[in-house]
Amino acid sequence: MADNHKHHEHVDETVTERSDWARRRREGIPTNKNLLVIACMDERIPVEDVLGLELGDAQIYRNAGGKVTDDVIRSAALTTNFFDTDEIIVINHTDCGMMSAPDAAVRDGLEAQAVDLSDVDLDPSLPELNIGDADIIDWVKMTDDIDEACAAQVEYLRQSELIPDDVTVSGYVYEAESGELREPGERIAGKISERQT
């Protein structure tokens, strides 16, 4: 039986797919899964692997601690309002560097670098944005408890007036020791390793 398909049809389809890929934003094409991931920049977190993602599935924003900063809100607001993103996942992790030093040591180290922290530009393009009278530690956002921190980041996103209410926001803790995700507050090892009274 003869194949009625012409080869140019396959070539045309490939050209169209490549064009769509290259011009996704201009054409208003969302990510494959309409997903934004906020994660820590730690090199041990294989974000795509633990979430089962492939190239094109999600936008991934990584920063120190996977914290919801002003720029995370900026990015989330743009993608949820203009690029059809309707889900955000936050990934924090155990043994995070944001838990590795006391506030005083971080403050002292930054003061040694910049001397006057109150005048440091937080955004190079907006020099009027500086720390002012606030504590630099509030800007750095060190972490005491990773589970509480993860839950807090989720709430910051849910409460933002710039992110639509119908956007689903979830958070997970990546265990560096097991290579698995868990929900905040669900420390399975503790539950199965301690006597329940």
Side-chain angles (χ1 to χ4, degrees), residues 90-156:
V90 175
I91 299 181
N92 295 142
H93 68 103
T94 58
D95 192 45
C96 184
M98 299 303 288
M99 303 170 71
S100 65
D103 289 355
V106 174
R107 188 183 295 107
D108 291 347
L110 292 175
E111 284 178 344
Q113 173 64 33
V115 183
D116 185 1
L117 295 176
S118 64
D119 285 336
V120 171
D121 294 340
L122 298 184
D123 182 334
S125 68
L126 295 171
E128 62 273 18
L129 289 182
N130 57 51
I131 204 72
D133 295 331
D135 189 332
I136 194 72
I137 294 301
D138 293 332
W139 177 70
V140 172
K141 303 181 189 303
M142 295 300 286
T143 299
D144 293 323
D145 181 300
I146 201 63
D147 291 77
E148 290 177 4
C150 185
Q153 306 320 300
V154 169
E155 280 308 306
Y156 295 147

Side-chain angles (χ1 to χ4, degrees), residues 15-74:
V15 168
T16 299
E17 288 174 359
R18 192 168 59 241
S19 176
D20 285 346
W21 176 263
R23 302 185 319 146
R24 284 189 135 196
R25 294 302 165 263
R26 290 177 184 239
E27 297 297 324
I29 298 172
T31 63
N32 297 345
K33 297 192 179 295
N34 295 58
L35 173 64
L36 168 64
V37 179
I38 312 297
C40 183
M41 66 186 189
D42 191 289
E43 70 281 4
R44 294 169 293 173
I45 307 173
V47 173
E48 292 86 351
D49 291 345
V50 297
L51 292 177
L53 299 175
E54 295 182 4
L55 186 65
D57 283 348
Q59 295 162 337
I60 299 177
Y61 188 113
R62 296 177 77 139
N63 67 19
K67 296 301 179 83
V68 175
T69 62
D70 59 335
D71 198 54
V72 167
I73 292 294
R74 169 184 164 270

